[in-house]
Amino acid sequence: MGATVLGLIGQSFMFSYQAEQTQRSASVTKFVEVSQQFDRNVSDFMGPFLQGVDSEAQREALRKNIQDQFLALEQAEGVLPESEESRAKAYRDALVEVDAQLGRNDPAPKARGLVQAIADAREANVCVTYFMKDEVGLSVSSNDAEYCADGRKPQLRPL
């Protein structure tokens, strides 16, 4: 009888562990999807913008994606190793700066701050995404592993 109870407890523990791993993996996958959408939104906005065409719809899509990223990052952030939490903060700060620069509505010739903020956000995202994916066993690129392994932290401009 005792062995049966222990077996059931073990199965229950294993099921709970697998459910938690599935949830962690799902939250990271969602974060990765939203991050990839950011890149598409940036391309959709910046291509025409740098040619002098400012689309309010594309600007708003980018701002909405920033909000989506905050939510996805919040849900997935617990996956990051403690040693990498500063990367998540730097990424959030970079997204805040992109949003602030978008709100300035500067024309392309004067939007150097926006271009820099987007570059900073993209750079900060690389290692956050890498470490999250690595923690839950999703495939990672060797280039990202090498880039993030040197221990450097993003050097973002102060807000």
Side-chain angles (χ1 to χ4, degrees):
M1 181 76 167
T4 304
V5 171
L6 286 177
L8 289 174
I9 291 172
Q11 286 177 342
S12 175
F13 175 75
M14 189 57 139
F15 177 76
S16 175
Y17 174 77
Q18 288 173 337
E20 180 182 331
Q21 286 301 101
T22 300
Q23 176 59 37
R24 289 166 45 106
S25 184
S27 66
V28 170
T29 299
K30 176 65 177 171
F31 172 75
V32 170
E33 289 170 359
V34 172
S35 294
Q36 290 170 342
Q37 184 61 46
F38 177 72
D39 284 337
R40 288 188 291 272
N41 287 10
V42 164
S43 295
D44 290 348
F45 172 74
M46 290 303 288
F49 179 73
L50 293 175
Q51 294 176 6
V53 178
D54 189 357
S55 165
E56 189 63 30
Q58 291 169 336
R59 183 181 292 269
E60 287 309 310
L62 190 51
R63 291 183 103 166
K64 182 187 178 322
N65 178 266
I66 290 170
Q67 293 172 357
D68 292 347
Q69 283 194 71
F70 264 88
L71 293 174
L73 182 58
E74 185 177 283
Q75 292 173 354
E77 192 172 3
V79 171
L80 275 175
E82 272 186 47
S83 61
E84 302 305 325
E85 288 176 359
S86 64
R87 292 183 192 271
K89 182 186 180 325
Y91 185 50
R92 276 193 305 275
D93 291 347
L95 290 171
V96 166
E97 182 63 14
V98 171
D99 190 56
Q101 291 293 328
L102 282 169
R104 293 182 57 169
N105 291 319
D106 287 339
K110 295 183 179 183
R112 184 180 198 136
L114 175 60
V115 172
Q116 184 62 52
I118 288 171
D120 290 346
R122 284 179 158 173
E123 180 182 1
N125 175 271
V126 170
C127 292
V128 170
T129 301
Y130 166 76
F131 283 110
M132 282 185 184
K133 288 172 72 174
D134 191 49
E135 279 295 307
V136 298
L138 297 174
S139 66
V140 293
S141 87
S142 58
N143 289 343
D144 289 349
E146 185 177 316
Y147 179 80
C148 298
D150 67 9
R152 69 183 189 168
K153 304 287 185 200
Q155 300 297 314
L156 304 178
R157 296 176 288 117
L159 297 177

